[in-house]
Amino acid sequence: MADEVILLDFWPSMFGIRCRVALAEKGVVYEYKEEDLWNKGELLLQMNPVRKKIPVLIHNGKPVCESLVIVEYVDQTWSHKAPLLPSDPYERARARFWADFIDKKFYGQGWKVLTTKGEEQEAAKKEFIHSLKLLESELGNEPFFGGKKFGFLDISFIGFYCRFYSYEMCGNFSIEAECPKLIAWGKRCMEKESVSKSLPDPQKVHGYVLELKKAMGIE
């Protein structure tokens, strides 16, 4: 009997993108269900009663929550193809460290760039650019964060690539001028079908960001 795989997601979510890319890398056939985050569906509330957030992967009726947990679950469950996490324990720990950095520090800094003004935004922008430079340093001269192979940390970060345009427009700066290697990395990732078919158009994402800011009273 074939696996039943469902992904509860929201199209501009950087975290949902991780799951889409991981599933595509593994060639997993799944049903995509778009969620309205302002009117959450019964299935989402049932499958993630603790956080009540997307993404949620439902595999044969069993929910897996939190994007990085989902990516690891996908990697281990469909282990026959395209390993995502490094096999070396140290490199695996290093990839998890930077993925945690993206979620706990980089994401919040980016949100401030999008939603603040004046001195507060300038301070947020400095912190954000510093984090970008740290990530660029971790990439080094390799084509991917996993070295020669696209992997876990690339998947953890690539969802933010389609939001780079919004960061630049709202913060009035150029990521390419600050971190050219990261832009080259993003373009390299976009050459992969698993990525290009999973990421929404940056202009469409920016339109969503502007709508969100308007709804929050931030013009």
Side-chain angles (χ1 to χ4, degrees), residues 112-159:
K112 285 185 178 179
V113 171
L114 296 177
T115 59
T116 58
K117 294 180 179 180
E119 291 182 3
E120 187 179 0
Q121 187 187 52
E122 285 302 310
K125 190 165 68 175
K126 285 181 181 178
E127 291 183 357
F128 182 73
I129 291 171
H130 177 65
S131 290
L132 282 170
K133 289 182 181 294
L134 287 174
L135 286 161
E136 185 178 56
S137 177
E138 175 62 15
L139 175 65
N141 294 316
E142 296 289 352
F144 300 107
F145 282 101
K148 305 300 180 190
K149 288 174 56 181
F150 179 82
F152 178 78
L153 186 50
D154 301 288
I155 290 174
S156 301
F157 192 37
I158 194 59

Side-chain angles (χ1 to χ4, degrees), residues 54-107:
I54 56 92
V56 178
L57 183 77
I58 307 171
H59 184 203
N60 294 330
K62 297 178 180 179
V64 183
C65 306
E66 298 297 318
S67 62
L68 293 177
V69 176
I70 291 170
V71 172
E72 290 208 34
Y73 178 84
V74 168
D75 192 31
Q76 293 168 11
T77 302
W78 291 277
S79 58
H80 64 286
K81 181 181 178 183
L84 304 178
L85 276 158
S87 58
D88 178 76
Y90 175 75
E91 293 302 326
R92 193 159 59 240
R94 191 182 183 98
R96 285 173 173 149
F97 168 83
W98 283 106
D100 185 70
F101 171 84
I102 290 166
D103 280 6
K104 292 183 178 174
K105 192 158 189 176
F106 179 82
Y107 169 68

Side-chain angles (χ1 to χ4, degrees), residues 151-183:
F152 178 78
L153 186 50
D154 301 288
I155 290 174
S156 301
F157 192 37
I158 194 59
F160 291 85
Y161 182 67
C162 61
R163 202 162 284 208
F164 277 15
Y165 177 74
S166 293
Y167 295 137
E168 291 177 324
M169 291 299 100
C170 294
N172 191 29
F173 71 107
S174 166
I175 293 177
E176 186 165 21
E178 298 286 350
C179 300
K181 288 182 182 179
L182 280 186
I183 297 299

